[in-house]
Amino acid sequence: MTKAFPPVDLDGVTRQVLADSPELMVVSFRFSEDAEGALHSHPHVQSTYVKTGRFAFTIGEETTEIGPGDSFVIPSGATHGCVCLEAGELIDCFTPRRDDFL
């Protein structure tokens, strides 16, 4: 069954849940240039796919520039965040679901 989730505007970032179940959530994050995803951590395992744009993405102590087609997995509890270098969109999957996004 498909649910419609409204976009949530944050500071230079628009978050929209695309699909969810208790075990998995898919979320779009659209960033304007220079917007930041502040360093944070959470208990969820996260995979990130770069649909468009360029980002300086930090996991732990390592920062890497990523672009369209890149993807990676962030372990549970790892500190991570990003700075958008060129406006774009990230598609993130979380397991289990991020109930704080509902």
Side-chain angles (χ1 to χ4, degrees):
M1 179 135 223
T2 303
K3 293 188 237 178
F5 296 95
V8 176
D9 289 323
L10 309 166
D11 190 23
V13 180
T14 301
R15 177 183 75 214
Q16 186 169 22
V17 173
L18 302 176
D20 83 307
S21 74
E23 302 82 18
L24 179 68
M25 176 178 269
V26 181
V27 183
S28 164
F29 290 90
R30 291 182 301 277
F31 284 77
S32 59
E33 190 171 320
D34 298 324
E36 294 186 30
L39 288 173
H40 65 286
S41 66
H42 45 72
H44 312 82
V45 174
Q46 174 180 335
S47 70
T48 296
Y49 170 75
V50 183
K51 185 173 177 182
T52 59
R54 297 208 65 78
F55 299 83
F57 208 98
T58 301
I59 301 175
E61 299 296 319
E62 185 176 340
T63 300
T64 304
E65 189 172 321
I66 58 174
D70 289 337
S71 62
F72 49 93
V73 172
I74 302 166
S76 173
T79 299
H80 60 284
C82 67
V83 175
C84 183
L85 306 174
E86 177 186 306
E89 182 178 11
L90 302 176
I91 304 296
D92 289 350
C93 295
F94 299 94
T95 184
R97 170 179 62 203
R98 294 277 309 250
D99 289 334
D100 56 322
F101 286 179
L102 296 176

Coordinates of all heavy atoms in Angstrom, one line a residue:
M1 N 0.8 -1.2 0.0 CA 0.0 0.0 0.0 C 0.9 1.2 0.0 O 1.8 1.3 0.8 CB -0.9 0.0 1.2 CG -1.8 1.2 1.4 SD -3.4 0.6 1.8 CE -4.4 1.5 0.7
T2 N 0.6 2.2 -0.8 CA 1.4 3.4 -0.9 C 0.8 4.5 0.0 O -0.4 4.7 0.0 CB 1.4 3.9 -2.4 OG1 1.9 2.9 -3.2 CG2 2.2 5.1 -2.5
K3 N 1.7 5.2 0.7 CA 1.3 6.3 1.5 C 1.9 7.6 1.0 O 3.0 7.5 0.4 CB 1.8 6.2 3.0 CG 1.1 5.1 3.8 CD 1.6 5.2 5.2 CE 2.2 3.9 5.7 NZ 2.7 4.0 7.0
A4 N 1.3 8.7 1.1 CA 1.9 10.0 0.7 C 2.4 10.7 1.9 O 1.7 10.9 2.9 CB 0.8 10.8 0.0
F5 N 3.7 11.0 1.8 CA 4.3 11.8 2.9 C 4.7 13.2 2.4 O 5.3 13.3 1.4 CB 5.6 11.1 3.3 CG 5.4 9.7 3.9 CD1 5.5 8.6 3.1 CD2 5.1 9.5 5.3 CE1 5.3 7.3 3.7 CE2 4.9 8.3 5.8 CZ 5.0 7.2 5.0
P6 N 4.3 14.2 3.2 CA 4.6 15.6 2.7 C 6.1 15.9 2.9 O 6.8 15.3 3.8 CB 3.8 16.4 3.7 CG 3.6 15.6 4.9 CD 3.6 14.2 4.4
P7 N 6.7 16.7 2.0 CA 8.0 17.1 2.2 C 8.2 18.0 3.5 O 7.2 18.7 3.9 CB 8.4 17.9 1.0 CG 7.1 18.1 0.2 CD 6.0 17.3 0.9
V8 N 9.3 17.9 4.1 CA 9.6 18.7 5.3 C 10.8 19.6 5.0 O 11.9 19.1 4.6 CB 9.9 17.8 6.5 CG1 10.3 18.6 7.7 CG2 8.8 16.9 6.8
D9 N 10.6 20.9 5.1 CA 11.6 21.9 4.8 C 12.5 22.1 6.0 O 11.9 22.5 7.0 CB 11.1 23.2 4.2 CG 10.5 23.0 2.8 OD1 11.1 22.3 2.0 OD2 9.4 23.6 2.5
L10 N 13.8 21.9 5.9 CA 14.7 22.2 6.9 C 15.6 23.3 6.4 O 15.4 23.8 5.3 CB 15.5 20.9 7.2 CG 14.6 19.7 7.5 CD1 15.4 18.4 7.5 CD2 13.9 19.9 8.9
D11 N 16.7 23.7 7.0 CA 17.5 24.8 6.6 C 18.3 24.4 5.4 O 19.4 23.8 5.5 CB 18.4 25.1 7.8 CG 19.2 26.4 7.5 OD1 18.7 27.2 6.7 OD2 20.3 26.6 8.1
G12 N 17.8 24.6 4.2 CA 18.5 24.3 2.9 C 18.3 22.9 2.4 O 18.9 22.5 1.5
V13 N 17.5 22.1 3.2 CA 17.4 20.7 2.9 C 15.9 20.4 2.9 O 15.2 20.9 3.8 CB 18.1 19.8 3.9 CG1 17.9 18.3 3.6 CG2 19.6 20.1 4.0
T14 N 15.4 19.6 2.0 CA 14.0 19.2 2.0 C 14.0 17.6 2.2 O 14.7 16.9 1.4 CB 13.3 19.5 0.7 OG1 13.2 20.9 0.6 CG2 11.8 19.0 0.7
R15 N 13.4 17.2 3.2 CA 13.3 15.7 3.5 C 12.0 15.2 3.1 O 10.9 15.8 3.5 CB 13.6 15.5 5.0 CG 13.5 14.0 5.4 CD 13.7 13.8 6.9 NE 12.5 14.3 7.6 CZ 12.5 14.8 8.8 NH1 13.7 15.1 9.4 NH2 11.4 15.2 9.4
Q16 N 11.9 14.1 2.4 CA 10.6 13.5 2.1 C 10.7 12.0 2.2 O 11.5 11.4 1.5 CB 10.1 13.9 0.7 CG 8.7 13.3 0.5 CD 8.1 13.9 -0.8 OE1 8.7 14.4 -1.7 NE2 6.8 13.9 -0.8
V17 N 9.9 11.4 3.1 CA 9.8 9.9 3.2 C 9.2 9.4 1.9 O 8.1 10.0 1.5 CB 9.0 9.5 4.4 CG1 8.8 8.0 4.4 CG2 9.7 10.0 5.7
L18 N 9.8 8.5 1.3 CA 9.3 7.9 0.0 C 8.5 6.6 0.3 O 7.5 6.3 -0.4 CB 10.4 7.6 -1.0 CG 11.2 8.9 -1.3 CD1 12.4 8.5 -2.3 CD2 10.4 9.9 -2.0
A19 N 9.0 5.8 1.3 CA 8.3 4.6 1.6 C 8.8 4.1 3.0 O 9.9 4.5 3.4 CB 8.7 3.5 0.5
D20 N 7.9 3.4 3.6 CA 8.3 2.9 5.0 C 7.6 1.6 5.4 O 6.5 1.3 4.8 CB 8.1 4.0 6.0 CG 6.7 4.0 6.5 OD1 5.8 4.1 5.7 OD2 6.5 3.9 7.8
S21 N 8.2 0.9 6.2 CA 7.6 -0.2 7.0 C 8.4 -0.3 8.3 O 9.4 0.4 8.4 CB 7.8 -1.6 6.2 OG 9.2 -2.0 6.3
P22 N 8.0 -1.0 9.2 CA 8.7 -1.0 10.5 C 10.2 -1.4 10.3 O 11.0 -1.0 11.1 CB 7.9 -2.1 11.4 CG 6.5 -2.0 10.8 CD 6.7 -1.8 9.3
E23 N 10.5 -2.3 9.3 CA 11.8 -2.8 9.1 C 12.7 -1.9 8.3 O 13.9 -2.0 8.3 CB 11.8 -4.2 8.5 CG 11.0 -5.2 9.3 CD 9.5 -5.1 9.1 OE1 9.1 -4.6 8.0 OE2 8.8 -5.7 9.9
L24 N 12.1 -1.0 7.4 CA 12.9 -0.2 6.4 C 12.2 1.1 6.1 O 11.0 1.1 6.0 CB 13.0 -1.1 5.2 CG 13.8 -0.5 4.0 CD1 15.3 -0.3 4.3 CD2 13.6 -1.4 2.8
M25 N 13.0 2.1 5.8 CA 12.5 3.4 5.4 C 13.3 3.9 4.3 O 14.6 3.9 4.4 CB 12.4 4.4 6.6 CG 12.0 5.8 6.2 SD 11.9 6.9 7.6 CE 10.2 6.6 8.1
V26 N 12.7 4.5 3.2 CA 13.4 5.1 2.1 C 13.1 6.6 2.2 O 11.9 7.0 2.2 CB 13.0 4.5 0.8 CG1 13.8 5.2 -0.4 CG2 13.2 3.0 0.8
V27 N 14.1 7.5 2.1 CA 13.9 8.9 2.3 C 14.8 9.7 1.3 O 15.9 9.4 1.0 CB 14.4 9.4 3.7 CG1 14.1 10.8 3.9 CG2 13.7 8.5 4.8
S28 N 14.2 10.7 0.7 CA 14.9 11.6 -0.2 C 15.3 12.9 0.6 O 14.4 13.4 1.3 CB 13.9 12.0 -1.4 OG 14.4 13.2 -2.0
F29 N 16.5 13.3 0.4 CA 17.0 14.5 0.9 C 17.5 15.4 -0.2 O 18.5 15.0 -0.9 CB 18.2 14.3 1.9 CG 17.8 13.6 3.2 CD1 17.8 12.3 3.3 CD2 17.4 14.4 4.3 CE1 17.4 11.6 4.5 CE2 17.0 13.8 5.5 CZ 17.0 12.4 5.6
R30 N 16.8 16.5 -0.5 CA 17.2 17.4 -1.5 C 17.9 18.6 -0.9 O 17.4 19.3 -0.1 CB 16.0 17.9 -2.4 CG 15.4 16.7 -3.2 CD 14.2 17.1 -4.1 NE 13.1 17.7 -3.3 CZ 12.2 17.0 -2.7 NH1 12.2 15.7 -2.7 NH2 11.2 17.6 -2.1
F31 N 19.2 18.8 -1.3 CA 20.1 19.9 -0.7 C 20.3 21.0 -1.7 O 20.5 20.8 -2.9 CB 21.4 19.3 -0.4 CG 21.5 18.4 0.8 CD1 21.0 17.1 0.7 CD2 22.1 18.9 2.0 CE1 21.1 16.3 1.8 CE2 22.2 18.0 3.1 CZ 21.7 16.7 3.0
S32 N 20.2 22.2 -1.2 CA 20.7 23.4 -1.9 C 22.2 23.5 -1.7 O 22.7 22.9 -0.8 CB 20.0 24.7 -1.5 OG 20.2 24.9 -0.2
E33 N 22.9 24.2 -2.6 CA 24.3 24.3 -2.5 C 24.7 25.0 -1.2 O 24.0 25.9 -0.7 CB 24.9 25.2 -3.7 CG 26.4 25.2 -3.8 CD 26.9 25.8 -5.0 OE1 26.3 25.6 -6.1 OE2 27.9 26.6 -4.9
D34 N 25.7 24.5 -0.5 CA 26.2 24.9 0.8 C 25.4 24.5 2.0 O 25.8 24.7 3.1 CB 26.4 26.4 0.8 CG 27.4 26.9 -0.2 OD1 28.4 26.2 -0.4 OD2 27.2 28.0 -0.8
A35 N 24.3 23.8 1.7 CA 23.5 23.3 2.9 C 24.3 22.2 3.6 O 25.1 21.5 2.9 CB 22.1 22.8 2.4
E36 N 24.0 22.0 4.8 CA 24.7 21.0 5.6 C 23.7 20.0 6.3 O 22.7 20.4 6.7 CB 25.5 21.7 6.7 CG 26.6 22.5 6.2 CD 27.5 23.1 7.3 OE1 27.7 22.4 8.3 OE2 28.1 24.1 7.1
G37 N 24.2 18.8 6.3 CA 23.6 17.8 7.1 C 24.5 17.7 8.3 O 25.6 17.1 8.2
A38 N 24.1 18.2 9.4 CA 25.0 18.3 10.6 C 25.5 17.0 11.1 O 24.8 15.9 10.9 CB 24.2 19.0 11.8
L39 N 26.7 16.9 11.6 CA 27.2 15.7 12.2 C 26.2 15.1 13.2 O 25.7 15.9 14.1 CB 28.6 15.9 12.8 CG 29.7 16.1 11.8 CD1 31.0 16.5 12.6 CD2 29.9 14.9 11.0
H40 N 25.9 13.8 13.1 CA 25.0 13.2 14.1 C 25.2 11.7 14.0 O 26.0 11.2 13.2 CB 23.5 13.5 13.7 CG 23.1 12.9 12.4 ND1 23.6 13.5 11.2 CD2 22.4 11.9 12.1 CE1 23.1 12.8 10.2 NE2 22.3 11.8 10.7
S41 N 24.6 11.0 14.9 CA 24.6 9.5 14.9 C 23.2 9.0 15.3 O 22.4 9.8 15.9 CB 25.7 9.0 15.8 OG 25.4 9.2 17.1
H42 N 22.9 7.8 14.9 CA 21.6 7.2 15.3 C 21.8 5.7 15.3 O 22.8 5.2 14.7 CB 20.5 7.6 14.3 CG 20.9 7.6 12.9 ND1 21.0 6.4 12.2 CD2 21.1 8.6 12.0 CE1 21.4 6.7 10.9 NE2 21.4 8.0 10.8
P43 N 20.9 4.9 15.9 CA 21.1 3.5 16.0 C 20.8 2.7 14.7 O 21.0 1.5 14.6 CB 20.1 3.1 17.1 CG 19.0 4.1 17.1 CD 19.8 5.4 16.7
H44 N 20.3 3.4 13.7 CA 19.9 2.8 12.5 C 21.1 2.5 11.5 O 22.0 3.4 11.5 CB 18.9 3.7 11.7 CG 17.8 4.2 12.6 ND1 17.9 5.3 13.4 CD2 16.5 3.7 12.8 CE1 16.8 5.5 14.1 NE2 16.0 4.5 13.7
V45 N 21.1 1.4 10.8 CA 22.0 1.2 9.7 C 21.4 2.1 8.6 O 20.2 2.1 8.3 CB 22.1 -0.2 9.3 CG1 23.0 -0.4 8.1 CG2 22.7 -1.1 10.5
Q46 N 22.3 2.8 7.9 CA 21.9 3.7 6.8 C 22.7 3.4 5.6 O 23.9 3.3 5.6 CB 22.1 5.1 7.2 CG 21.8 6.2 6.2 CD 22.1 7.6 6.7 OE1 22.1 7.9 7.8 NE2 22.4 8.5 5.7
S47 N 22.0 3.3 4.4 CA 22.7 3.3 3.1 C 22.3 4.6 2.4 O 21.2 5.1 2.6 CB 22.3 2.1 2.3 OG 20.9 2.2 1.8
T48 N 23.3 5.2 1.7 CA 23.1 6.4 1.0 C 23.5 6.2 -0.4 O 24.5 5.7 -0.8 CB 23.9 7.6 1.6 OG1 23.5 7.8 3.0 CG2 23.9 8.9 0.8
Y49 N 22.6 6.7 -1.3 CA 22.9 6.7 -2.8 C 22.8 8.2 -3.3 O 21.8 8.9 -2.9 CB 21.8 5.9 -3.5 CG 21.8 6.0 -5.0 CD1 22.8 5.4 -5.8 CD2 20.9 6.8 -5.7 CE1 22.9 5.6 -7.1 CE2 20.9 7.0 -7.0 CZ 21.9 6.3 -7.8 OH 22.0 6.5 -9.1
V50 N 23.8 8.6 -4.0 CA 23.8 10.0 -4.5 C 23.1 10.0 -5.9 O 23.6 9.5 -6.9 CB 25.3 10.5 -4.7 CG1 25.2 12.0 -5.2 CG2 26.0 10.4 -3.4
K51 N 21.9 10.6 -5.9 CA 21.2 10.6 -7.2 C 21.7 11.8 -8.0 O 21.9 11.6 -9.2 CB 19.7 10.9 -6.9 CG 18.8 10.8 -8.1 CD 17.3 10.9 -7.7 CE 16.4 10.9 -8.9 NZ 15.0 11.0 -8.5
T52 N 21.9 12.9 -7.5 CA 22.5 14.1 -8.2 C 23.3 14.9 -7.2 O 23.2 14.8 -6.0 CB 21.4 15.0 -8.8 OG1 20.5 15.4 -7.7 CG2 20.5 14.2 -9.8
G53 N 24.1 15.8 -7.8 CA 24.9 16.8 -6.9 C 26.2 16.2 -6.5 O 26.6 15.1 -6.8
R54 N 26.9 17.0 -5.7 CA 28.2 16.7 -5.1 C 28.2 17.0 -3.7 O 27.7 18.1 -3.3 CB 29.4 17.3 -5.8 CG 29.5 16.9 -7.3 CD 30.8 17.0 -7.9 NE 31.8 16.1 -7.3 CZ 31.9 14.7 -7.6 NH1 31.1 14.2 -8.3 NH2 32.8 14.0 -7.0
F55 N 28.8 16.2 -2.8 CA 28.8 16.4 -1.4 C 30.2 16.0 -0.8 O 30.9 15.1 -1.3 CB 27.8 15.4 -0.8 CG 26.4 15.6 -1.2 CD1 25.9 15.1 -2.4 CD2 25.5 16.4 -0.5 CE1 24.6 15.3 -2.9 CE2 24.2 16.7 -0.9 CZ 23.8 16.1 -2.1
A56 N 30.6 16.7 0.2 CA 31.7 16.3 1.1 C 31.0 15.6 2.3 O 30.4 16.2 3.1 CB 32.5 17.5 1.6
F57 N 31.2 14.3 2.3 CA 30.5 13.4 3.3 C 31.5 12.9 4.3 O 32.6 12.4 3.9 CB 29.8 12.3 2.6 CG 28.6 11.8 3.3 CD1 27.4 12.2 2.9 CD2 28.7 10.9 4.4 CE1 26.2 11.8 3.6 CE2 27.6 10.5 5.1 CZ 26.4 10.9 4.7
T58 N 31.2 13.1 5.5 CA 32.1 12.6 6.6 C 31.5 11.5 7.4 O 30.3 11.5 7.7 CB 32.3 13.8 7.6 OG1 32.9 14.9 6.9 CG2 33.2 13.4 8.8
I59 N 32.2 10.4 7.6 CA 31.9 9.3 8.4 C 33.1 9.1 9.4 O 34.2 8.9 9.0 CB 31.6 8.0 7.7 CG1 30.5 8.2 6.6 CG2 31.3 6.9 8.6 CD1 30.3 7.0 5.7
G60 N 32.8 9.3 10.7 CA 33.9 9.2 11.7 C 34.9 10.4 11.4 O 34.5 11.5 11.4
E61 N 36.1 10.0 11.2 CA 37.2 11.0 11.0 C 37.5 11.2 9.5 O 38.3 12.1 9.2 CB 38.4 10.6 11.7 CG 38.3 10.5 13.2 CD 37.9 11.8 13.9 OE1 38.5 12.8 13.5 OE2 37.1 11.8 14.8
E62 N 36.8 10.5 8.6 CA 37.2 10.5 7.2 C 36.1 11.3 6.4 O 34.9 11.1 6.5 CB 37.2 9.1 6.7 CG 37.7 9.0 5.2 CD 37.9 7.6 4.8 OE1 38.0 6.7 5.6 OE2 37.8 7.4 3.5
T63 N 36.6 12.3 5.6 CA 35.7 13.0 4.7 C 36.1 12.7 3.3 O 37.3 12.7 2.9 CB 35.8 14.5 4.9 OG1 35.5 14.8 6.3 CG2 34.9 15.3 4.0
T64 N 35.1 12.4 2.4 CA 35.3 12.0 1.0 C 34.3 12.8 0.2 O 33.1 13.0 0.6 CB 35.0 10.5 0.9 OG1 35.8 9.8 1.8 CG2 35.2 10.1 -0.6
E65 N 34.7 13.2 -1.0 CA 33.8 13.9 -1.9 C 33.1 12.8 -2.7 O 33.7 11.9 -3.2 CB 34.6 14.8 -2.9 CG 33.6 15.7 -3.7 CD 34.3 16.8 -4.5 OE1 35.3 17.4 -4.0 OE2 33.9 17.0 -5.7
I66 N 31.8 12.9 -2.8 CA 31.0 11.9 -3.5 C 30.1 12.6 -4.5 O 29.8 13.8 -4.4 CB 30.1 11.1 -2.5 CG1 29.2 12.0 -1.7 CG2 31.0 10.3 -1.6 CD1 28.2 11.3 -0.8
G67 N 29.7 11.9 -5.6 CA 28.9 12.4 -6.6 C 27.9 11.4 -7.2 O 27.8 10.3 -6.6
P68 N 27.2 11.7 -8.2 CA 26.2 10.9 -8.8 C 26.6 9.4 -9.0 O 27.7 9.2 -9.5 CB 25.8 11.5 -10.1 CG 26.2 13.0 -9.9 CD 27.4 13.0 -9.0
G69 N 25.8 8.5 -8.5 CA 26.1 7.1 -8.7 C 26.8 6.5 -7.5 O 26.9 5.3 -7.4
D70 N 27.4 7.3 -6.7 CA 28.1 6.8 -5.5 C 27.1 6.3 -4.5 O 26.0 6.8 -4.3 CB 29.0 7.8 -4.9 CG 30.2 8.2 -5.7 OD1 30.6 7.4 -6.5 OD2 30.8 9.3 -5.5
S71 N 27.5 5.3 -3.7 CA 26.7 4.8 -2.6 C 27.6 4.1 -1.6 O 28.7 3.7 -1.8 CB 25.7 3.7 -3.1 OG 26.3 2.6 -3.7
F72 N 27.1 4.1 -0.3 CA 27.8 3.5 0.8 C 26.9 3.2 1.9 O 25.7 3.6 1.9 CB 28.9 4.5 1.2 CG 28.4 5.9 1.4 CD1 28.0 6.3 2.7 CD2 28.4 6.8 0.4 CE1 27.5 7.6 2.9 CE2 27.9 8.1 0.6 CZ 27.5 8.5 1.8
V73 N 27.4 2.5 2.9 CA 26.6 2.1 4.1 C 27.3 2.7 5.3 O 28.5 2.7 5.5 CB 26.6 0.6 4.2 CG1 25.9 0.2 5.6 CG2 25.8 0.0 3.1
I74 N 26.4 3.3 6.2 CA 26.9 3.9 7.4 C 26.5 3.0 8.6 O 25.3 2.7 8.7 CB 26.3 5.3 7.6 CG1 26.7 6.2 6.5 CG2 26.7 5.9 9.0 CD1 25.9 7.4 6.4
P75 N 27.4 2.5 9.3 CA 27.1 1.5 10.4 C 26.2 2.2 11.5 O 26.3 3.4 11.7 CB 28.4 1.1 11.0 CG 29.4 1.5 10.0 CD 28.9 2.6 9.2
S76 N 25.5 1.4 12.2 CA 24.8 1.9 13.4 C 25.7 2.6 14.4 O 26.8 2.1 14.7 CB 24.1 0.7 14.1 OG 23.5 1.1 15.3
G77 N 25.3 3.8 14.8 CA 26.1 4.5 15.8 C 27.2 5.4 15.3 O 27.9 6.1 16.0
A78 N 27.5 5.3 14.0 CA 28.7 6.0 13.4 C 28.3 7.5 13.3 O 27.2 7.8 12.8 CB 29.1 5.5 12.1
T79 N 29.2 8.4 13.7 CA 28.9 9.8 13.5 C 29.2 10.2 12.0 O 30.2 9.8 11.4 CB 29.9 10.6 14.4 OG1 29.6 10.3 15.8 CG2 29.7 12.1 14.2
H80 N 28.2 10.9 11.4 CA 28.3 11.2 10.0 C 27.6 12.5 9.7 O 26.7 13.0 10.5 CB 27.8 10.1 9.2 CG 26.3 9.8 9.4 ND1 25.9 9.1 10.6 CD2 25.2 10.1 8.8 CE1 24.6 8.9 10.6 NE2 24.1 9.6 9.5
G81 N 27.8 13.1 8.6 CA 27.2 14.3 8.1 C 27.8 14.7 6.8 O 28.7 14.1 6.2
C82 N 27.2 15.8 6.2 CA 27.7 16.2 4.9 C 27.6 17.7 4.7 O 26.8 18.4 5.4 CB 27.0 15.5 3.8 SG 25.3 15.8 3.6
V83 N 28.3 18.2 3.7 CA 28.2 19.6 3.2 C 27.9 19.4 1.7 O 28.6 18.7 1.0 CB 29.4 20.4 3.4 CG1 29.3 21.8 2.8 CG2 29.7 20.6 4.9
C84 N 26.9 20.1 1.2 CA 26.5 20.0 -0.2 C 27.4 21.0 -1.0 O 27.4 22.2 -0.8 CB 25.0 20.4 -0.4 SG 24.5 20.2 -2.1
L85 N 28.2 20.5 -2.0 CA 29.1 21.3 -2.8 C 28.4 21.7 -4.1 O 28.7 22.8 -4.6 CB 30.3 20.4 -3.1 CG 31.1 19.9 -2.0 CD1 32.2 18.9 -2.4 CD2 31.6 21.0 -1.1
E86 N 27.4 20.9 -4.6 CA 26.7 21.2 -5.7 C 25.3 20.7 -5.5 O 25.1 19.5 -5.2 CB 27.3 20.6 -7.0 CG 26.5 20.7 -8.3 CD 27.2 19.9 -9.4 OE1 28.4 20.0 -9.6 OE2 26.5 19.1 -10.0
A87 N 24.2 21.5 -5.6 CA 22.9 21.1 -5.3 C 22.5 19.7 -5.8 O 22.9 19.4 -6.9 CB 21.9 22.1 -5.9
G88 N 21.9 19.0 -5.0 CA 21.6 17.6 -5.4 C 20.7 16.9 -4.4 O 20.1 17.4 -3.5
E89 N 20.5 15.6 -4.7 CA 19.6 14.7 -3.9 C 20.3 13.4 -3.5 O 21.0 12.8 -4.3 CB 18.4 14.4 -4.8 CG 17.4 13.6 -4.1 CD 16.1 13.3 -5.0 OE1 16.2 13.6 -6.2 OE2 15.1 12.8 -4.4
L90 N 20.1 13.1 -2.2 CA 20.5 11.8 -1.7 C 19.3 11.0 -1.4 O 18.3 11.5 -0.9 CB 21.3 12.1 -0.3 CG 22.5 12.9 -0.4 CD1 23.1 13.1 1.0 CD2 23.6 12.4 -1.3
I91 N 19.4 9.7 -1.7 CA 18.4 8.7 -1.3 C 18.9 7.9 -0.2 O 19.9 7.2 -0.4 CB 17.9 7.9 -2.5 CG1 17.5 8.8 -3.7 CG2 16.9 6.9 -2.1 CD1 16.2 9.6 -3.4
D92 N 18.3 7.9 0.9 CA 18.8 7.2 2.1 C 17.8 6.1 2.5 O 16.6 6.3 2.4 CB 19.0 8.1 3.3 CG 20.1 9.0 3.2 OD1 21.0 8.9 2.3 OD2 20.3 9.9 4.1
C93 N 18.3 4.9 2.9 CA 17.5 3.8 3.4 C 18.0 3.6 4.8 O 19.2 3.6 5.1 CB 17.7 2.6 2.6 SG 17.1 2.7 0.9
F94 N 17.0 3.4 5.7 CA 17.3 3.2 7.1 C 16.7 1.9 7.6 O 15.5 1.6 7.2 CB 16.7 4.3 8.0 CG 17.2 5.7 7.7 CD1 16.6 6.5 6.8 CD2 18.4 6.1 8.3 CE1 17.1 7.8 6.5 CE2 18.9 7.4 8.0 CZ 18.2 8.2 7.1
T95 N 17.4 1.1 8.4 CA 16.8 -0.1 9.0 C 17.2 -0.1 10.5 O 18.4 0.1 10.8 CB 17.2 -1.4 8.3 OG1 16.6 -2.5 8.9 CG2 18.7 -1.6 8.2
P96 N 16.3 -0.2 11.4 CA 14.8 -0.2 11.1 C 14.4 1.3 10.7 O 15.2 2.2 10.6 CB 14.2 -0.6 12.4 CG 15.2 -0.2 13.4 CD 16.5 -0.3 12.8
R97 N 13.1 1.4 10.5 CA 12.5 2.7 10.2 C 12.9 3.8 11.2 O 13.0 3.6 12.4 CB 11.0 2.5 10.1 CG 10.2 3.8 10.0 CD 8.7 3.6 10.0 NE 8.2 3.0 11.2 CZ 7.1 2.3 11.2 NH1 6.3 2.2 10.2 NH2 6.7 1.8 12.4
R98 N 13.0 5.0 10.7 CA 13.2 6.2 11.5 C 11.9 6.8 12.0 O 11.3 7.6 11.3 CB 14.0 7.3 10.8 CG 15.4 7.0 10.4 CD 16.4 7.3 11.5 NE 16.3 8.6 12.1 CZ 17.2 9.6 12.0 NH1 18.2 9.4 11.2 NH2 17.0 10.7 12.6
D99 N 11.4 6.3 13.1 CA 10.1 6.8 13.6 C 10.1 8.3 13.8 O 9.0 8.9 13.7 CB 9.7 6.1 14.8 CG 9.3 4.6 14.5 OD1 8.9 4.3 13.4 OD2 9.4 3.8 15.5
D100 N 11.2 8.9 14.0 CA 11.3 10.4 14.2 C 11.0 11.1 13.0 O 10.8 12.3 13.0 CB 12.6 10.8 14.9 CG 13.8 10.3 14.1 OD1 13.8 9.2 13.5 OD2 14.8 11.1 14.0
F101 N 11.0 10.5 11.8 CA 10.7 11.2 10.5 C 9.3 11.1 10.2 O 8.8 11.7 9.2 CB 11.5 10.5 9.4 CG 13.0 10.9 9.4 CD1 13.8 10.3 8.4 CD2 13.6 11.7 10.3 CE1 15.2 10.6 8.3 CE2 14.9 12.0 10.3 CZ 15.7 11.5 9.3
L102 N 8.5 10.4 10.9 CA 7.0 10.2 10.6 C 6.2 11.3 11.3 O 6.6 11.9 12.2 CB 6.5 8.9 11.1 CG 7.1 7.7 10.4 CD1 6.6 6.4 11.0 CD2 6.8 7.7 8.9

